[in-house]
């Protein structure tokens, strides 16, 4: 065992938010995802693909509204303002976090739009559901420094009952950047003048049977 230097302060999430008549507004350092996905992780639950405490954050603004509340109003009912059940739409803009807030160096912008449907602790199709979350998200990362324009489309489904947990996520990524070529050019292995085309896809699935303390 040896001693290593550690940063004296690490800001994970620091933000303020307010409830508006038409939704939620949040500003500050915040997670770019509500849970784990193929590409990013909120850091709020076990990360089976890396360090559990790791997370992906952005310094910016988020606006979210509950689309299903619109139907309540149109039907003449009081809008359901619960944040754990219904159909939602969220838009996030921010600077991708790599260190403490800085106005110089990194110009990587992140814009994401997500629509998702949630249910918690309710009966669905005659079965008791602890949680259900289905989502579709489009994200774009942009940087003038390396001519980066990367888009990703992610679909996800998470379902948990008293005895079962099921998850299925898939991501398609496409775009271009010079960052890879310029990094390899330092090793004399690439021509940095052109942009590299990015075409990538990936996903994961999980099925767990819950038997008390054992999965």
């Amino acid at each position: 065992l040896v001693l290593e230097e550690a940063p004296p302060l690490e800001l994970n999430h620091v933000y303020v938010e307010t409830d508006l008549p038409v939704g939620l507004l949040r500003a500050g350092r915040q997670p770019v995802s509500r849970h784990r996905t193929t590409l990013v992780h909120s850091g709020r639950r076990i990360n089976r693909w890396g360090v559990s405490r790791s997370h992906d954050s952005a310094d910016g603004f988020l606006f979210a509204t509950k689309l299903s509340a619109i139907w309540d109003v149109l039907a003449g009912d009081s809008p359901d303002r619960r944040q754990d059940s219904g159909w939602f739409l969220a838009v996030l803009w921010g600077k991708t976090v790599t260190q403490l807030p800085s106005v110089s160096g990194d110009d990587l912008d992140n814009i994401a739009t997500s629509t998702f449907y949630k249910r918690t602790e309710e009966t669905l199709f005659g079965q008791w559901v602890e949680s259900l979350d289905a989502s579709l998200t489009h994200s774009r990362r942009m940087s003038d420094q390396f001519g980066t324009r990367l888009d990703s489309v992610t679909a996800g489904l998470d379902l948990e009952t008293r005895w079962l947990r099921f998850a299925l996520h898939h991501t398609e990524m496409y775009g271009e950047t010079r960052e890879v070529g310029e990094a390899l050019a330092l090793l004399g292995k690439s021509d940095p003048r052109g942009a590299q085309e990015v075409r990538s896809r990936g996903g994961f699935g999980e099925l767990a049977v819950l038997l008390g303390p054992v999965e």
Side-chain angles (χ1 to χ4, degrees):
L1 298 178
V2 298
L3 296 177
E4 292 187 356
E5 291 186 1
L9 178 64
E10 183 175 348
L11 298 179
N12 291 335
H13 300 145
V14 180
Y15 57 82
V16 294
E17 63 182 25
T18 181
D19 288 319
L20 304 175
V22 293
L24 174 75
L25 181 63
R26 178 190 294 168
R29 174 160 295 185
Q30 54 193 291
V32 297
S33 173
R34 297 174 298 109
H35 45 59
R36 59 174 180 158
T37 71
T38 308
L39 294 176
V40 297
H41 191 270
S42 66
R44 289 187 296 173
R45 62 159 291 170
I46 293 174
N47 180 6
R48 300 186 184 278
W49 323 118
V51 180
S52 295
R53 66 178 179 272
S54 66
H55 57 85
D56 297 278
S57 303
D59 291 328
F61 301 90
L62 175 138
F63 173 74
T65 188
K66 190 170 184 178
L67 297 178
S68 54
I70 298 176
W71 314 130
D72 296 336
V73 174
L74 294 178
D77 301 325
S78 298
D80 182 358
R81 296 182 177 273
R82 291 180 300 166
Q83 296 185 14
D84 61 354
S85 181
W87 179 29
F88 300 84
L89 175 68
V91 179
L92 168 73
W93 172 87
K95 294 285 188 180
T96 302
V97 171
T98 56
Q99 55 187 357
L100 292 176
S102 173
V103 295
S104 62
D106 196 353
D107 69 338
L108 188 62
D109 289 319
N110 187 63
I111 301 174
T113 302
S114 179
T115 182
F116 51 94
Y117 179 77
K118 297 173 59 177
R119 297 286 290 269
T120 58
E121 297 183 344
E122 296 183 28
T123 300
L124 188 64
F125 302 118
Q127 299 294 324
W128 178 257
V129 174
E130 297 288 342
S131 64
L132 169 67
D133 194 318
S135 61
L136 180 65
T137 302
H138 173 266
S139 175
R140 164 166 278 206
R141 292 194 173 187
M142 302 169 291
S143 169
D144 293 332
Q145 182 179 3
F146 297 109
T148 300
R149 297 293 184 272
L150 289 178
D151 291 274
S152 65
V153 178
T154 300
L157 174 64
D158 292 86
L159 172 67
E160 184 167 343
T161 69
R162 289 191 178 97
W163 57 273
L164 176 72
R165 182 171 63 247
F166 173 78
L168 185 64
H169 289 257
H170 180 77
T171 294
E172 296 280 339
M173 178 181 288
Y174 52 93
E176 63 179 22
T177 182
R178 298 193 313 273
E179 186 169 2
V180 177
E182 292 193 15
L184 292 177
L186 298 176
L187 303 176
K189 296 182 178 181
S190 175
D191 183 352
R193 291 174 294 180
Q196 292 77 50
E197 185 180 21
V198 176
R199 292 290 185 272
S200 179
R201 61 176 54 90
F204 68 88
E206 180 184 60
L207 179 63
V209 177
L210 311 178
L211 304 175
V214 179
E215 294 186 7

